[in-house]
């Protein structure tokens, strides 16, 4: 299969919409990461997503809609969900709601809930409207790889696997959406993102965090959200994350770097001078910048052939929880507190 990458425009969006209507898979930009989309209500089209990504079938997908009115046939919308949609849609917030029978089990990995969100990106919204379909779309990368934040990243993973990539520039947020379970009495964050627990609690009155955000799922533990069960976001090299005071983290990384040939350091910008001539890349100076840069940096280190990655993280709270969740899973939870 030939994969064509088109700049997003009226004509290319019409072509992409026609492919979706014909049961094909198309990659497109969102504000979080690039998505790999197909008709969420077409079982065969959704299976084509799993095949292109080599994604395990027990990993549910997120269904993208253009507005909350599109949810009527898909799921049961609660009063709390309505409030959160009004506050954060379009935007990087995915809601888990009780699904209706029209949504095939393959889309939800057999769960009785469906994950839905309205993306805050003009190309994504126009594609949904042009196709007239709810679009199931995980990140447009091979399963387990760092998520794509540019069309070039998508092409690297999906060349020959899908017919079309819509190019829409770099993704503004850089990590996937917050996934929030609102099917129960109290909203619960299953996967952190740019919309934080604190922001949600201001609207919903309360919000909890799933205990598995910063640890692997335990044997027999249920995975109701994407990004929870399987190895995710991982570079080819082994990665270790260090957290704590700058001075202690720098000291620990330098000590480990000396014994790791081909090693690279990912660190906050203000700490880079302390590493001298050692091979380093910046993660910015804030959790928001770290989220924007993380997947790009991990792919750069794959290209450089890094044998080992030593990364400086943040304390896993507030806005930093999203980037630390991704760093934790990318490192297989090899986190060293200092």
């Amino acid at each position: 299969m030939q994969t064509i990458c088109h700049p997003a425009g009226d004509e290319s969006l019409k072509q992409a919409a026609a492919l979706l209507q014909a049961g094909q898979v198309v990659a497109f930009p969102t504000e979080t990461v690039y998505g790999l989309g197909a008709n969420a209500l077409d079982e065969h089209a959704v299976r084509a997503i799993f095949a292109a990504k080599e994604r395990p079938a027990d990993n549910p997908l997120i269904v993208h809609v253009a507005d909350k009115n599109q949810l009527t046939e898909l799921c049961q919308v609660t009063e709390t969900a309505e409030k959160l949609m009004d506050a954060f849609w379009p935007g990087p917030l995915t809601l888990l709601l009780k699904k209706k029978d029209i949504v095939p089990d393959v889309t939800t990995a057999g769960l009785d809930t469906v994950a839905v969100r309205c993306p805050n990106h003009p190309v994504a919204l126009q594609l949904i409207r042009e196709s007239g379909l709810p679009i199931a779309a995980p990140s447009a990368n091979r399963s387990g790889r760092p998520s794509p934040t540019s069309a070039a990243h998508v092409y690297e993973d999906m060349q020959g696997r899908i017919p079309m990539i819509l190019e829409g520039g770099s993704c503004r947020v850089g990590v996937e959406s917050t996934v929030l379970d609102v099917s129960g009495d109290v909203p619960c964050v299953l996967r952190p993102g740019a919309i934080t627990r604190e922001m949600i609690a201001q609207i919903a009155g309360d919000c909890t965090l799933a205990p598995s955000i910063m640890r692997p799922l335990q044997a027999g533990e249920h995975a109701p959200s994407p990004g929870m069960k399987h190895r995710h976001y991982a570079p080819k090299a082994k990665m270790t994350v260090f957290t704590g005071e700058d001075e202690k983290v720098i000291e620990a990384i330098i000590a480990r770097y000396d014994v790791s040939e081909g090693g690279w350091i990912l660190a906050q910008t203000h700490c880079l001078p302390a590493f001298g001539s050692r091979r380093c890349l910046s993660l910015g100076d804030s959790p928001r910048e770290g989220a924007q840069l993380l997947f790009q940096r991990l792919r750069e280190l794959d290209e450089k052939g890094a044998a080992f990655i030593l990364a400086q993280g943040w304390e896993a709270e507030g806005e930093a929880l999203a980037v630390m969740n991704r760093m934790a899973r990318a490192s297989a939870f090899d986190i060293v507190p200092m």
Side-chain angles (χ1 to χ4, degrees), residues 13-330:
L13 276 157
K14 287 180 182 177
Q15 294 176 31
L19 286 168
L20 291 173
Q21 291 164 349
Q24 297 292 310
V25 179
V26 171
F28 62 96
T30 78
E31 79 278 24
T32 56
V33 299
Y34 272 71
L36 192 64
N39 180 358
L41 306 182
D42 181 339
E43 180 177 343
H44 296 291
V46 172
R47 291 193 187 282
I49 295 175
F50 284 89
K53 281 181 64 74
E54 300 177 3
R55 181 184 178 96
D58 61 347
N59 202 1
L61 304 181
I62 293 172
V63 178
H64 294 67
V65 297
D67 55 59
K68 65 181 182 181
N69 296 326
Q70 205 173 352
L71 297 179
T72 304
E73 66 173 349
L74 302 177
C75 56
Q76 300 170 17
V77 179
T78 64
E79 182 179 346
T80 299
E82 287 271 8
K83 291 179 182 178
L84 292 165
M85 290 174 200
D86 290 342
F88 299 116
W89 278 17
L93 177 66
T94 293
L95 301 174
L96 248 63
L97 294 161
K98 295 293 185 182
K99 83 177 187 77
K100 293 185 177 178
D101 291 342
I102 193 173
V103 182
D105 285 346
V106 65
T107 302
T108 65
L111 302 174
D112 63 357
T113 54
V114 60
V116 293
R117 96 171 181 101
C118 177
N120 188 13
H121 195 289
V123 174
L125 291 172
Q126 189 174 343
L127 180 62
I128 297 166
R129 294 187 180 113
E130 187 76 38
S131 68
L133 300 168
I135 299 177
S139 54
N141 55 295
R142 298 273 287 275
S143 188
R145 293 269 289 134
S147 298
T149 56
S150 72
H153 295 164
V154 180
Y155 191 78
E156 179 184 351
D157 280 12
M158 290 293 146
Q159 181 182 5
R161 292 172 173 260
I162 61 173
M164 188 175 183
I165 301 167
L166 282 172
E167 200 281 321
S170 297
C171 299
R172 173 174 53 84
V173 175
V175 295
E176 297 83 354
S177 60
T178 304
V179 176
L180 184 71
D181 186 352
V182 287
S183 62
D185 294 333
V186 178
C188 179
V189 174
L190 304 180
R191 181 182 73 186
I195 306 299
T196 65
R197 183 195 68 79
E198 292 80 7
M199 294 164 66
I200 293 163
Q202 286 184 346
I203 303 300
D206 195 5
C207 183
T208 61
L209 296 173
S212 56
I213 284 176
M214 290 301 297
R215 64 158 173 79
L217 288 183
Q218 298 171 352
E221 193 171 359
H222 181 53
S225 164
M228 293 181 74
K229 188 169 185 180
H230 299 279
R231 185 171 182 261
H232 279 278
Y233 323 120
K236 295 175 182 176
K238 170 131 179 43
M239 177 171 160
T240 300
V241 181
F242 298 82
T243 61
E245 296 178 5
D246 288 350
E247 293 78 8
K248 293 181 179 179
V249 167
I250 290 167
E251 182 180 349
I253 288 177
I254 289 175
R256 187 79 66 93
Y257 183 94
D258 289 339
V259 296
S260 60
E261 290 186 28
W264 278 80
I265 297 167
L266 288 179
Q268 295 166 32
T269 305
H270 68 274
C271 293
L272 294 183
F275 296 112
S277 61
R278 296 171 181 85
R279 294 180 294 270
C280 299
L281 289 176
S282 170
L283 280 178
D285 264 333
S286 69
R288 185 170 300 181
E289 291 177 345
Q292 292 169 340
L293 289 169
L294 177 62
F295 293 142
Q296 174 186 331
R297 294 298 190 233
L298 294 181
R299 284 181 175 267
E300 287 177 21
L301 292 178
D302 280 351
E303 292 175 7
K304 294 177 183 298
F308 196 83
I309 301 169
L310 304 168
Q312 179 184 19
W314 287 267
E315 294 304 315
E317 58 188 21
E319 195 174 37
L321 184 60
V323 67
M324 281 305 298
N325 167 263
R326 284 15 175 232
M327 294 181 82
R329 294 191 178 277

